[in-house]
């Protein structure tokens, strides 16, 4: 999105427009003369979807929550002694080359549980986990050789501190603070963070009507992914939030699916999670753009319940837990990750019948419905939607007006269009903004944002008004042209990210060029 194309009409499908194609290549498991490696090769049966078993638990035990080491050569995981989600539980490390499994936590009647995703940090050389080994469920760290146990938080009673994830720099930990009820469904969590030394305990999510769980810190440190459901009995969705608790974003939006166990791709562009999307009888592994969009299914084993995915640091693999019978013990598997380099256009984009429609804030629900119904009745499949943010200087640059348009499109246009079977692609200008009526209103983009403006060869700003025969301008409009090599670039990308997360099926970026 940061490369601007000269003199072109650019259609960028983003929010629901594309994901990334799956690779068809698999790394072969090389046999080793050691008995451990030979044993591992014998255990590594391959499923019909190409997933390969990494290890099998001891009979009656359940191996869950795989998380890669920073070098990608090991997995830390939780082994539960009495079956699926039934402790006591301990941490173990699997060497992927040899198949050797090493216990990290001592044998004891306690629950020591790691989170899939960012549980292993190379800065601290430690693995963070939750344990009830002392007075309460608290956060602990252990060195990768099983030594140096450190208690990070220390409190008594509820809430339970659990599901911890490292920040990439190793100085913060994000976690779930959960109050338990009579059953798992009664548990209500919130997202918190704390420094690695146990100081600066900070609450990040505050909605009393929501249950927030299983946070994972992004590779860029800027966002945290977690799962949320509306109380008392809503379905799980994947959300992200800035690391300071601001800029909440709903990533998955299907009210009929349960989306859980989310963590990041190593470049932070995608989120991997477990879901029954599409009416699956058991969950599979999916990936979705971090800004939201159309999910792509990664695992396809009909009789398996796949969950707790983690992406390898080199981007090649996704490890996950899987079991074939409800509540049966799980084993650890891996599957080739989606390619990050090959965008795939969705079927609806190949066969689209297009029409345009303009939407204004003063339109009534009846007017919106009638316009969308007309398009559906005429056989339109994709609507190119023009809203004020598509061209207006004030609707784009003034945050209050921008948020008003964003809410209008998200709540009043997109749901109605989707209910009628229409996809909506939002029209946006590239480097041009029109300040409507600003010659008489006294507003001037070149004065308000001089550092955004294009400059011609004579050193003059590129902005004009009252030019004859420019059909999209009224005489008192100011037409401002912005430079991609200015602070406007980052402002523009931030706006695009907000739009892409609000439910549009794509973005159409119009005429990106330099006037000078």
């Amino acid at each position: 999105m940061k490369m601007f194309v000269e003199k072109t009409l650019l259609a960028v499908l983003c929010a629901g427009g594309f994901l990334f194609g799956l690779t068809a290549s698999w790394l072969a498991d090389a046999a080793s003369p050691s008995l451990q490696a030979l044993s591992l090769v014998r255990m590594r049966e391959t499923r019909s979807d190409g997933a390969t078993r990494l290890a099998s638990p001891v009979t009656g035990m359940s191996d869950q929550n795989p998380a890669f080491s920073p070098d990608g050569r090991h997995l830390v995981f939780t082994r539960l002694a009495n079956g699926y989600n039934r402790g006591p539980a301990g941490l173990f490390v699997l060497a992927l080359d040899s198949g050797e499994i090493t216990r990290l936590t001592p044998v004891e009647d306690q629950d020591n549980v790691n989170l899939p995703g960012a549980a292993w940090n190379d800065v601290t050389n430690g693995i963070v986990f939750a344990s009830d080994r002392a007075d309460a469920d608290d956060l602990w760290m252990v060195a990768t050789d099983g030594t140096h146990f450190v208690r990070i938080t220390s409190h008594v009673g509820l809430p339970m501190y659990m599901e911890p994830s490292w920040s990439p720099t190793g100085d913060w930990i994000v976690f779930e603070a959960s109050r338990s009820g009579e059953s798992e469904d009664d548990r209500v969590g919130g997202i918190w963070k704390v420094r690695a030394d146990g100081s600066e305990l900070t609450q990040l999510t505050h909605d009393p009507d929501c249950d927030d769980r299983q946070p994972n810190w992004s590779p860029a440190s800027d966002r945290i992914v977690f799962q949320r459901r509306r109380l008392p009995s809503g379905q799980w969705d994947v959300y992200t939030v800035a690391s300071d608790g601001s800029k909440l974003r709903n990533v998955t939006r299907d009210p009929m699916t349960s989306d859980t166990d989310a963590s990041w791709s190593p470049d932070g562009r995608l989120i991997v999670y477990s879901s029954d999307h599409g009416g699956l009888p058991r969950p599979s592994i999916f990936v979705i753009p971090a800004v939201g969009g159309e999910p792509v299914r990664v695992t396809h084993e009909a009789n398996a319940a796949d969950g707790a995915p983690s992406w390898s640091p080199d981007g090649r693999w996704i490890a996950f837990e899987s079991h074939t019978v409800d509540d049966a013990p799980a084993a650890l598997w891996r599957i080739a990750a989606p390619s990050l380099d090959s965008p795939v256009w969705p079927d609806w984009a190949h066969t689209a019948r297009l029409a345009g429609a303009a939407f204004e804030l003063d339109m009534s629900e009846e007017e919106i419905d009638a316009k969308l119904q007309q398009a559906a009745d005429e056989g339109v499949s994709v609507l190119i939607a023009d809203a004020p943010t598509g061209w207006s200087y004030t609707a784009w640059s003034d945050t209050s007006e921008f948020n008003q348009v964003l809410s209008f499109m998200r709540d009043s246009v997109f749901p109605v269009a989707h209910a009628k079977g229409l996809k909506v692609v939002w029209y946006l200008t590239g480097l041009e903004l029109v300040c409507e009526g600003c010659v008489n209103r006294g507003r001037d983009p070149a004065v308000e944002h001089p550092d955004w403006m294009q400059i011609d060869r004579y050193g003059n700003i590129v902005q004009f008004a009252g030019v004859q025969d420019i059909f999209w301008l009224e005489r008192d409009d100011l037409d401002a042209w912005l430079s991609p090599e200015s602070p406007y670039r980052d402002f523009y990308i931030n706006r695009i990210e907000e739009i892409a997360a609000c439910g549009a099926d794509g973005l159409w970026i119009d005429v990106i060029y330099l006037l000078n």
Side-chain angles (χ1 to χ4, degrees):
M1 294 296 298
K2 290 192 177 181
M3 297 184 64
F4 290 85
V5 181
E6 186 176 0
K7 294 185 179 178
T8 187
L9 209 67
L10 178 64
V12 182
L13 297 176
C14 60
F18 68 74
L19 235 169
F20 301 91
L22 298 180
T23 59
S25 61
W26 312 93
L27 292 181
D29 294 312
S32 164
S34 74
L35 292 178
Q36 289 175 333
L38 288 173
S39 174
L40 179 64
V41 170
R42 282 198 299 270
M43 290 190 296
R44 280 191 175 173
E45 76 261 28
T46 300
R47 304 191 320 191
S48 60
D49 61 359
T52 304
R53 185 193 293 265
L54 294 176
S56 293
V58 176
T59 301
M61 297 185 180
S62 185
D63 290 350
Q64 300 176 220
N65 302 342
F68 278 96
S69 62
D71 63 8
R73 298 175 58 187
H74 297 81
L75 288 174
V76 61
F77 66 96
T78 300
R79 174 166 283 177
L80 294 112
N82 292 306
Y84 191 75
N85 283 347
R86 290 193 287 269
L91 298 190
F92 290 75
V93 171
L94 167 66
L96 292 172
D97 289 340
S98 67
E100 181 181 2
I101 293 176
T102 305
R103 174 182 279 273
L104 276 182
T105 55
V107 179
E108 54 190 355
D109 188 22
Q110 306 291 342
D111 285 332
N112 305 287
V113 180
N114 70 284
L115 178 74
W120 192 324
N121 184 265
D122 58 343
V123 177
T124 63
N125 193 35
I127 295 165
V128 65
F129 64 102
S131 178
D132 61 359
R133 60 195 306 113
D135 301 327
D137 291 87
D138 268 310
L139 309 184
W140 293 70
M141 184 182 74
V142 61
T144 56
D145 61 0
T147 63
H148 193 55
F149 274 82
V150 176
R151 188 177 184 179
I152 297 168
T153 60
S154 181
H155 77 296
V156 177
L158 294 177
M160 299 181 292
Y161 293 175
M162 54 198 303
E163 312 287 13
S165 167
W166 286 110
S167 68
T169 53
D171 53 348
W172 285 94
I173 297 165
V174 65
F175 65 98
E176 170 193 331
S178 186
R179 297 185 179 277
S180 62
E182 294 180 358
S183 68
E184 176 68 14
D185 289 338
D186 293 330
R187 201 177 98 205
V188 177
I191 307 304
W192 293 64
K193 68 178 181 180
V194 67
R195 286 201 175 274
D197 62 4
S199 65
E200 296 188 43
L201 189 66
T202 306
Q203 186 174 0
L204 297 180
T205 62
H206 299 268
D207 194 330
D209 297 323
C210 292
D211 179 8
D212 299 335
R213 306 191 200 177
Q214 291 195 270
N216 249 293
W217 218 300
S218 71
S221 292
D222 58 336
R223 296 194 72 80
I224 292 161
V225 66
F226 64 98
Q227 65 189 56
R228 162 174 283 191
R229 68 183 180 112
R230 303 294 298 183
L231 297 172
S233 56
Q235 293 280 22
W236 291 107
D237 266 337
V238 174
Y239 280 74
T240 65
V241 68
S243 56
D244 63 359
S246 66
K247 298 181 180 179
L248 183 71
R249 177 182 297 158
N250 189 184
V251 179
T252 61
R253 294 175 172 270
D254 189 341
M256 304 304 293
T257 68
S258 180
D259 307 320
T260 63
D261 298 352
S263 60
W264 299 86
S265 64
D267 65 358
R269 291 165 54 191
L270 302 177
I271 291 170
V272 61
Y273 63 106
S274 176
S275 177
D276 57 1
H277 178 79
L280 297 176
R282 293 184 175 88
S284 291
I285 304 302
F286 285 79
V287 296
I288 192 170
V291 295
E294 191 70 23
V296 165
R297 188 177 176 185
V298 179
T299 61
H300 295 264
E301 190 72 7
N303 295 321
D306 300 335
S310 293
W311 216 303
S312 66
D314 62 6
R316 300 171 73 179
W317 300 100
I318 294 172
F320 60 98
E321 66 182 48
S322 182
H323 54 110
T324 55
V325 179
D326 290 345
D327 296 327
L332 304 182
W333 296 71
R334 74 177 180 186
I335 193 166
S339 168
L340 302 183
D341 302 316
S342 303
V344 177
W345 291 79
D347 290 341
W348 61 262
H350 288 283
T351 58
R353 178 173 178 169
L354 302 175
F359 296 92
E360 299 290 344
L361 290 174
D362 59 0
M363 292 177 66
S364 66
E365 292 182 2
E366 292 74 17
E367 290 173 316
I368 296 170
D369 186 84
K371 181 168 287 195
L372 294 172
Q373 189 60 53
Q374 180 182 355
D377 291 343
E378 293 176 355
V380 172
S381 63
V382 178
L383 204 61
I384 308 300
D386 192 357
T389 52
W391 52 269
S392 167
Y393 168 74
T394 58
W396 189 251
S397 62
D398 296 356
T399 298
S400 60
E401 189 174 346
F402 174 80
N403 288 337
Q404 188 178 7
V405 177
L406 205 65
S407 298
F408 168 69
M409 296 296 286
R410 182 191 63 225
D411 301 333
S412 300
V413 176
F414 297 147
V416 181
H418 292 155
K420 297 180 185 297
L422 295 168
K423 301 291 185 182
V424 183
V425 174
W426 197 331
Y427 168 84
L428 299 168
T429 55
L431 297 178
E432 178 194 25
L433 290 172
V434 176
C435 196
E436 190 175 25
C438 285
V439 171
N440 294 324
R441 287 198 301 167
R443 294 200 64 170
D444 189 337
V447 172
E448 294 179 2
H449 294 286
D451 55 344
W452 287 4
M453 304 301 296
Q454 290 187 32
I455 306 296
D456 68 16
R457 70 184 68 183
Y458 305 107
N460 301 314
I461 61 168
V462 182
Q463 177 173 282
F464 50 85
V467 181
Q468 188 176 2
D469 297 328
I470 296 183
F471 67 88
W472 65 88
L473 296 179
E474 300 294 334
R475 293 191 63 83
D476 59 352
D477 293 347
L478 283 175
D479 197 356
W481 287 81
L482 300 316
S483 171
E485 302 300 328
S486 77
Y488 183 65
R489 172 195 291 266
D490 290 335
F491 181 88
Y492 188 90
I493 295 300
N494 288 335
R495 287 290 199 239
I496 290 292
E497 288 179 348
E498 292 185 73
I499 285 179
C502 79
D505 300 288
L507 304 183
W508 184 289
I509 313 297
D510 189 7
V511 193
I512 301 175
Y513 65 96
L514 299 178
L515 280 183
N516 58 342

